[in-house]
């Protein structure tokens, strides 16, 4: 059970009725029924919102992640505007890696760029283990947010070892992950040393967020879909398992997400997830079949559908809610992050529609 510094969890371990641990979002993650299907959006805090663009106009990305007052404000923006069922901490997957001593920056329009890509064991050993003292701004922001959010749950997150390793080995975003795979196949010992170190950093980073009061965590393995199932199991699964299983006693649901992972859904669930994220390529009923009946699912609206006329969006929302009923728990979300050009009004309408349709269904029994 988590340390109860926040009132999220009552002393006897039962969630406070109506509190964040009893929210529709957390209930769905634990496969418990709730008043409606919960909905939030990956990258809900970001460039689709004019109020976000205004704040970020003069502050670089990494700096904004290190200023608790900005993190708090940006995290709250989509909750205020859309009425989503959960907030996600405003940060980035490379924040803990930078705290561990890696020289990197987030370049607008490109993404994370690493000054000296990892090539040797000495490079791996320079990635230091982290503690709360290395990320005080995250601890502080989460504590502030838990107070501001009240009964709305806050999701903490981190990047999974493979996706982080890809940025560190490539030096930046990559379409093919060629250098990453070359290292993985060519020098498995170094690969496992790198992923082992990254899983320690990630686990410590998620523990800081849990101790500060987040109600759930999501492990983003955005690029894992670049691997076959056999290679995923051999080179990646042990490290993601170290992170997720390392949180088994934490008392908060663990979401595991990737893109293009149709073939990996079962394995990603095995890593120790309570909820498996599904992109738009696999219908939720099919995904549930692959993942098994003991895990909830999250997803799977194509972010590009939000650019279609409203009747198309509505039909897709209906289809996903319907197919999501095959799962023991469903958190409505996109299959990947909100694209910057998205009209935020459409997101607000999707939230209202998900709530309305899933309520009606419950009323009808
Ligand atoms: O609302 C949320 O989901 C929380 C915020 C969040 C960000 N990054 C903020 C951000 C989250 C969860 C992330 C995780 C992240 N970062 C992932 C995993 C999720 C995914 O999208 O697959 C990855 C792969 C990254 C790495 C990264 N950081 C990329 C590819 C980019 C985009 C580069 C660009 O400019 O197009 C970033 C930068 C970033 N992280 C932005 C935001 C809001 C954009 C920076 C800006 O506003 O200038």
């Amino acid at each position: 059970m988590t340390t109860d510094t926040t009132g999220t969890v009552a002393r006897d371990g039962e969630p406070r009725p109506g509190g964040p641990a009893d929210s529709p979002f957390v209930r769905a993650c634990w496969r418990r029924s709730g008043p409606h299907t919960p909905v939030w959006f990956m990258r809900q805090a970001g460039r689709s919102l004019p109020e976000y663009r205004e704040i970020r106009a003069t502050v670089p990305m990494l700096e904004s992640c290190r200023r608790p007052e900005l993190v708090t404000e940006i995290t709250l923006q989509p909750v205020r505007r859309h009425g989503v069922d959960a907030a996600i901490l405003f940060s980035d997957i490379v924040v803990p890696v930078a705290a561990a001593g890696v020289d990197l920056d987030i370049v607008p329009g490109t993404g994370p760029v690493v000054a000296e890509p990892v090539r040797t064991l000495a490079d791996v050993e320079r990635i230091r283990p982290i503690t709360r003292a290395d990320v005080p701004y995250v601890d502080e922001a989460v504590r502030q947010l838990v107070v501001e959010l009240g009964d709305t749950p806050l999701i903490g997150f981190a990047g999974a070892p493979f996706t982080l390793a890809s940025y560190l080995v490539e030096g930046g975003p990559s379409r093919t992950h060629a250098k990453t795979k070359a290292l993985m196949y060519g020098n498995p010992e170094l690969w496992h040393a790198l992923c082992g170190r990254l899983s320690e950093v990630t686990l410590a980073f998620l523990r800081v967020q849990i101790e500060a009061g987040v109600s759930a965590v999501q492990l983003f393995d955005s690029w894992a879909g670049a691997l076959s199932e056999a290679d995923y199991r051999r080179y990646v699964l042990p490290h993601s398992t170290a992170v997720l299983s390392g949180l088994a006693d934490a008392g908060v649901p663990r979401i595991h997400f990737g893109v293009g992972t149709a073939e990996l859904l079962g394995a990603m669930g095995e890593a120790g997830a309570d909820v498996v994220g599904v992109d738009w390529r696999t219908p939720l009923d099919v995904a549930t079949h692959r993942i098994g009946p003991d895990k909830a699912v999250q997803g799977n609206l194509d972010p590009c559908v939000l650019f279609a006329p409203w009747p198309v969006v509505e039909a897709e929302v209906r289809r996903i809610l319907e197919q999501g009923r095959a799962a023991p728990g469903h958190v409505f979300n996109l299959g990947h992050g909100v694209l910057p050009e998205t009209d935020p009004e459409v997101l607000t309408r999707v939230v209202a529609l998900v709530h309305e349709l899933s309520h009606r269904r419950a009323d009808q029994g």
Side-chain angles (χ1 to χ4, degrees), residues 36 42 46 87 130 174 185 190 218-219 242 276 338 346:
H36 59 256
M42 290 182 277
I130 63 164
S174 163
Y185 295 125
L190 180 58
Q218 176 156 326
L219 189 65
V276 178
V338 174
V346 179

Side-chain angles (χ1 to χ4, degrees), residues 40-47 52 56 61 65 78 88-94 106-112 157 159 163 167 173 220-223 257 259 336-337 340:
W40 69 280
F41 305 110
M42 290 182 277
R43 290 278 173 93
Q44 61 191 16
R47 281 172 292 181
Y52 169 83
R56 285 289 326 288
M61 178 65 192
C65 297
I88 179 159
L89 179 71
F90 181 75
S91 185
D92 193 84
I93 56 166
V94 295
I106 299 179
V107 177
T110 301
F157 75 91
T163 292
Y167 284 108
F220 283 91
D221 210 351
S222 302
W223 313 142
F257 165 80
V259 183
H336 199 177

Side-chain angles (χ1 to χ4, degrees), residues 7 166 168 177 243 284:
S166 170
L168 293 186
H177 308 277
V243 177
L284 291 180

Side-chain angles (χ1 to χ4, degrees), residues 142-159:
V142 170
R143 287 175 197 276
Q144 265 178 31
L145 275 163
V146 166
V147 173
E148 297 270 340
L149 282 162
D151 293 338
T152 301
L154 175 65
I155 304 168
F157 75 91

